[in-house]
Amino acid sequence: MSHIKTAILGASGYTGAELVRLLSLHPNVQLKALAADRKAGMAMEDVFPHLSFASLPVLQKIEDIDFSDIDLVFCALPHGLTQNVIAGLPKHLRVIDLSADFRLRDGEDYAYWYGHPHYAPDLQKKFIYGLPEFYRSELKDAHYVANTGCYVASALLALLPLVKHKAISFDNIIIDAKSGVSGAGRVAKENILFSEVSEGFSAYGVREHRHSAEIEQELSLMAQFPIKTRFTPHLLPQNRCILSTIYVDLAKGQTAEDLHKFLLNHYKDEYFIKIMPYDEGRKMPHTHYVRGSNFVMLGVSPDRISGKAKIISVLDNLIKGASGQAIQNMNIMYGFNEETALQQLPLYP
Amino acid sequence: MSHIKTAILGASGYTGAELVRLLSLHPNVQLKALAADRKAGMAMEDVFPHLSFASLPVLQKIEDIDFSDIDLVFCALPHGLTQNVIAGLPKHLRVIDLSADFRLRDGEDYAYWYGHPHYAPDLQKKFIYGLPEFYRSELKDAHYVANTGCYVASALLALLPLVKHKAISFDNIIIDAKSGVSGAGRVAKENILFSEVSEGFSAYGVREHRHSAEIEQELSLMAQFPIKTRFTPHLLPQNRCILSTIYVDLAKGQTAEDLHKFLLNHYKDEYFIKIMPYDEGRKMPHTHYVRGSNFVMLGVSPDRISGKAKIISVLDNLIKGASGQAIQNMNIMYGFNEETALQQLPLYP
Amino acid sequence: MSHIKTAILGASGYTGAELVRLLSLHPNVQLKALAADRKAGMAMEDVFPHLSFASLPVLQKIEDIDFSDIDLVFCALPHGLTQNVIAGLPKHLRVIDLSADFRLRDGEDYAYWYGHPHYAPDLQKKFIYGLPEFYRSELKDAHYVANTGCYVASALLALLPLVKHKAISFDNIIIDAKSGVSGAGRVAKENILFSEVSEGFSAYGVREHRHSAEIEQELSLMAQFPIKTRFTPHLLPQNRCILSTIYVDLAKGQTAEDLHKFLLNHYKDEYFIKIMPYDEGRKMPHTHYVRGSNFVMLGVSPDRISGKAKIISVLDNLIKGASGQAIQNMNIMYGFNEETALQQLPLYP
Amino acid sequence: MSHIKTAILGASGYTGAELVRLLSLHPNVQLKALAADRKAGMAMEDVFPHLSFASLPVLQKIEDIDFSDIDLVFCALPHGLTQNVIAGLPKHLRVIDLSADFRLRDGEDYAYWYGHPHYAPDLQKKFIYGLPEFYRSELKDAHYVANTGCYVASALLALLPLVKHKAISFDNIIIDAKSGVSGAGRVAKENILFSEVSEGFSAYGVREHRHSAEIEQELSLMAQFPIKTRFTPHLLPQNRCILSTIYVDLAKGQTAEDLHKFLLNHYKDEYFIKIMPYDEGRKMPHTHYVRGSNFVMLGVSPDRISGKAKIISVLDNLIKGASGQAIQNMNIMYGFNEETALQQLPLYP
């Protein structure tokens, strides 16, 4: 089996570190370069001592990397910066981008949500949307992949099959999402200090949030109909994972149990997606059931009010919502077994 | 000013301890008896060492209390047990009950949700519903008070004024509520062990939950129209507080800013209720803003989808959702200043 | 009873906020000014929304405060900055300083530990060391008070009575101390981000730490003999409180139970200090027993190795270790009842 | 390479679940049976939903297991029960026991610390002490292995090489140890409820603790001299890991840097043990650096007081302190590569 040579840009963030951690168990991948501009010259183990048990290249500036010896780049840079960096990379490189920069297919959408025109609109068109369970065939030959956002993956994996089968109304979809703090990254900001987060809970972006654009883009594409959702992100006093509580109205003639069957059937061959047994809402997914893994769990419950249902979706934001998903995409792109390096079971407690 | 003599039944639980803590600063209350059947004979400081700095009566069995010397009983016993205990108390005692036993006004409702007929249906009729901001005049002369539940208070304080003014549609009200663990009480159960809760998040009672009955009873009464809600409780990895994210449809002609004005106006004389300034959903309540206090914070945000709004409500489940509310009710019943012993500001961080 | 007019310098930090919270219940204190240079002009409730339930002056720059109308200043500024600020204040002001700037009595000690000569050496001599249980009589007339550090208070309250009575050896004292994160202040630093602290534990300043100088100064003064200690601070994944595990060698002829008696006797009239009953190390202090209060708990245990003992000391670093202690000092300075505004029982859970 | 067939007794506890999780990545191990008496008949995924992504045998009673088809038993049962169960197993089975039942080599020691004579004293003599780094050659042919305790491993891995080289005094060794809550197991007890543990810290077993017997046994064996230690266990508000702060007196002529060199040299070929660089106590191990892995980190710091040093040791109590260590022992016993299934890097954050 082939070996590929990779670089990680943005290796000093949590998703960068998570890529290193997961790739360390991948038999077909060689980690050739790690870039982190402000920390260039440092050993990775001085930035992330938990990685000191691996043998890793020293951090470099992006411009110092010899890309002629690299096949694939994971780009884990901040939003905004990313589009310029990727536009400047040698063209032979395949790229998996973990930022939001290339997720929105429409330039006007991008401009509305990010407050400026896209810097690389032509490149944007070349990106394949990296939700593996729904874009597997396109991903096989992809040169550029835009990893799905963590909140977005949590919502789409629950809703796309139901929208596809018109099992739910396209109106009145509510996604009440709760995320661990690691989603905010490793940046020294007052609002994510331990004392500001611990023992407390809050919502943010309550009026509107960029992630809804990505959710609605994919739902609307699937529905061939413009779908709007009401989305509220919240910050949990925990490090990892997202749980989305999704409220839907059933399409005429459908029951909650039907939704459950659609999901079960749709994902029956998906290694990473598990549907909880249908038992009237008693057993539903807990973030503990997926933490530290690339797995997703979905549960469906009827609602007391007839004609309505609730779906709960959980995933680890840093793995299935970011670095694990990126590796899954890579496995598809290179024809490796899709599960490679992603078979670790959840860490509990 | 008068002094009253009180007893706490169920003093070995968290709400019992919280009553002791708060009453220790009340100048008009004398704590005469503490009851906890299984721990009768123990010193309170052996059950709750954080209370060892107060001088407290030894724990007794309920039947050993000399009620002739008591004016008021706080009943912090488990649901179910409570109705029998209160039915057997001497009739001169005024009672504030923190359990759910006397909250539902309708016997059939009670039987549906609790699986058996009420044991004391006549007594049930004598109870005043203890939400102080809405039942103040009835509470003044109340002999029996049924304290509002913690989730319920969080929802009702946000919704009742809006229902009253018909500012929102009576359909499509969704209450996505998140609570700290102390709401589950001090009972050795596997599902609330530290390792089962910490670093994780989950929903429960997803199909239906008893608290919706109480929410709907009060909303319907206010509306003079049967209101149904979709309610989902979740368990946060933190000790205290509830945050409810409430999704509403606006009544015709109303805006989110109108909702904000209704709340502001409705609560303008309420010491314990604060409405966050209206700024399009940017600043919204955090549970940190009320923890350790009897205060409530409400915030209103418009929704991207026109004709809809979001309301966020926070309170400390053990104080405004239980023991603080009980003391506020007591203050009303006895003509004390309503804020007495409840003026402590939130503890942060 | 008299009223005093106070200002808080450094009101945007955690100890500043805690002063505001506690003083809000003090009947003899009027809060006239709050200073926070970078946040001057902001409302306190925008900096600390949990304080929005109080009526507070707007934040100012220090130089904009009219000190002619102020009696007492609480100085909660960072170390180093403090000495210059206090040196520049009008001389009529009594000052309680919460920083470390005026705790070390000896200029050379200060220079060694802080890396530069003291900026206000003459002023340093005028400060009374603010450990109320040991300097009460000096504090009554104090014009300048240097509040004891939080780690230091935790160690000294356990050790000073034993050193005084020569009940322990002056050699081989080990203080293994663990603190909540709030001790690091409200400063956006990577190492105190939620994700860096939560679910983890570490030591810092392992070779040496400034606080040992303060501990040793006071122990040596009491012993009239130079005492050295081995001190290791650790960071707990929790917000508040310090627990110190102290290892001592017994003086000849002494037993652990003797130590217990010395402590019990020494503190028998101290409202804020409680000694756990002696029961061979089974019941020992937990930080939960004091969180949110100005109380201290001490416990003594024998050691398996004869001639040795262990002492455990707990306090809330932001209250008895900082703002509560400052108010206790103020109460002494002004002849108020020493417990005023400090009688709140611990918040638990 | 050979395949072995294993059973886990006590599969419904945290160490049992952790064995399942780790073994799922072991290419030479087949998991044939899972036993958990009270939960016999249940699917493992109903007991531990995070394991629902693996294909696992249904839980059975021990007596229902067909041991004729099993090569190796992991015994993760409670202390006390274990000795009877193992005594009753078929003799062809190799056994790795994670309990404390067979760790003490001396029957009188056992009787003193556990309050009753050992039930299987002859069997006790056949056990090899399972600390892989020190008993590797004996483990190769071991039939019965007594896994080292988690606290004990944390202390011994730091101290044994220093005792061996007489680099430290055999007197005055103090081990101040802090453990995550998972060490207390998955048992519904009030003292490990979330609300009792979270946001708090405490010591336990302060006078004496069973683990000191195991520590002293091994240190004394190595020293060929009876060594006593002062050991204090504490409970951290986190799930996993142990950090031990160890205070030692240097042997004559030794420096802290010498200790560092002894450790570095002693462990130079050990895959799982990392010594932090010597830099005067600035960089020391954090539990985050090993969580979720079988790795250990050790750091050495000089002490301000000459002739003394501090050592800090961290490991994951459920992995290197229990299930990972057991698998490492199994790898040695069966001649597998010692790192097999244990190469996962720490999970952070």
Side-chain angles (χ1 to χ4, degrees), chain A residues 50-340:
Chain A
H50 74 289
L51 297 176
S52 68
F53 304 100
S55 213
L56 296 169
V58 166
L59 291 168
Q60 308 175 258
K61 286 181 180 297
I62 294 174
E63 58 263 37
D64 294 339
I65 296 179
D66 174 7
F67 285 111
S68 68
D69 197 31
I70 305 283
D71 302 309
L72 170 71
V73 164
F74 291 99
C75 191
L77 294 167
H79 308 315
L81 175 60
T82 299
Q83 45 201 284
N84 283 328
V85 168
I86 293 181
L89 289 177
K91 299 307 170 207
H92 77 279
L93 294 170
R94 294 174 94 173
V95 176
I96 298 174
D97 179 27
L98 284 80
S99 85
D101 273 19
F102 293 98
R103 291 178 194 156
L104 294 185
R105 297 157 192 265
D106 183 81
E108 284 183 35
D109 264 12
Y110 182 90
Y112 171 78
W113 287 99
Y114 291 88
H116 64 86
H118 202 280
Y119 303 139
D122 293 339
L123 199 54
Q124 196 180 14
K125 294 187 181 67
K126 298 184 182 161
F127 269 78
I128 300 299
Y129 189 70
L131 189 61
E133 283 76 10
F134 287 87
Y135 289 90
R136 192 172 278 121
S137 59
E138 292 89 332
L139 286 164
K140 279 180 185 152
D141 303 313
H143 198 75
Y144 295 108
V145 172
N147 231 33
T148 301
C150 51
Y151 275 123
V152 180
S154 159
L156 291 182
L157 290 168
L159 288 169
L160 279 178
L162 306 178
V163 163
K164 183 178 179 191
H165 292 285
K166 300 192 174 20
I168 56 172
S169 163
F170 295 168
D171 273 336
N172 209 25
I173 297 172
I174 293 177
I175 301 156
D176 194 276
K178 301 89 174 173
S179 173
V181 185
S182 60
R186 198 188 211 192
V187 185
K189 288 187 295 191
E190 188 182 285
N191 69 318
I192 52 170
L193 291 178
F194 181 85
S195 295
E196 305 289 317
V197 171
S198 166
E199 278 288 308
F201 182 71
S202 60
Y204 61 99
V206 177
R207 185 185 185 285
E208 65 178 19
H209 191 283
R210 290 166 178 182
H211 292 317
S212 17
E214 192 182 339
I215 295 171
E216 294 177 359
Q217 163 182 288
E218 294 301 310
L219 292 181
S220 301
L221 255 174
M222 179 61 85
Q224 297 293 311
F225 183 89
I227 290 184
K228 291 249 181 215
T229 62
R230 302 168 75 187
F231 169 72
T232 316
H234 299 75
L235 190 68
L236 287 166
Q238 68 189 53
N239 287 305
R240 286 180 179 248
C241 296
I242 288 174
L243 183 147
S244 295
T245 310
I246 304 175
Y247 298 85
V248 296
D249 289 1
L250 299 167
K252 219 161 213 163
Q254 302 289 336
T255 65
E257 198 165 4
D258 292 334
L259 301 195
H260 183 262
K261 279 182 200 152
F262 277 121
L263 290 175
L264 209 56
N265 192 54
H266 189 91
Y267 289 124
K268 65 178 186 297
D269 298 325
E270 293 292 344
Y271 179 79
F272 293 113
I273 316 278
K274 183 175 169 71
I275 318 299
M276 299 280 285
Y278 186 79
D279 74 343
E280 302 262 321
R282 272 176 290 265
K283 277 192 212 161
M284 297 293 276
H286 192 300
T287 63
H288 280 161
Y289 303 168
V290 297
R291 182 178 52 169
S293 82
N294 199 51
F295 294 101
V296 173
M297 261 200 202
L298 302 172
V300 179
S301 169
D303 196 291
R304 280 174 62 225
I305 302 184
S306 72
K308 294 175 185 285
K310 300 176 184 177
I311 308 162
I312 288 181
S313 163
V314 294
L315 52 73
D316 184 315
N317 61 310
L318 290 181
I319 306 183
K320 184 65 178 171
S323 305
Q325 183 199 137
I327 291 170
Q328 190 180 351
N329 283 331
M330 176 195 73
N331 286 338
I332 295 171
M333 289 162 71
Y334 286 90
F336 303 139
N337 184 328
E338 197 168 324
E339 297 123 47
T340 313

Side-chain angles (χ1 to χ4, degrees), chain A residues 277 283 289, chain D residues 39 41-49 52 59 186:
Chain A
K283 277 192 212 161
Y289 303 168
Chain D
K39 297 188 173 164
M42 291 179 71
M44 190 66 169
E45 73 176 67
D46 288 329
V47 178
F48 285 115
S52 67
L59 291 168
R186 198 188 211 191

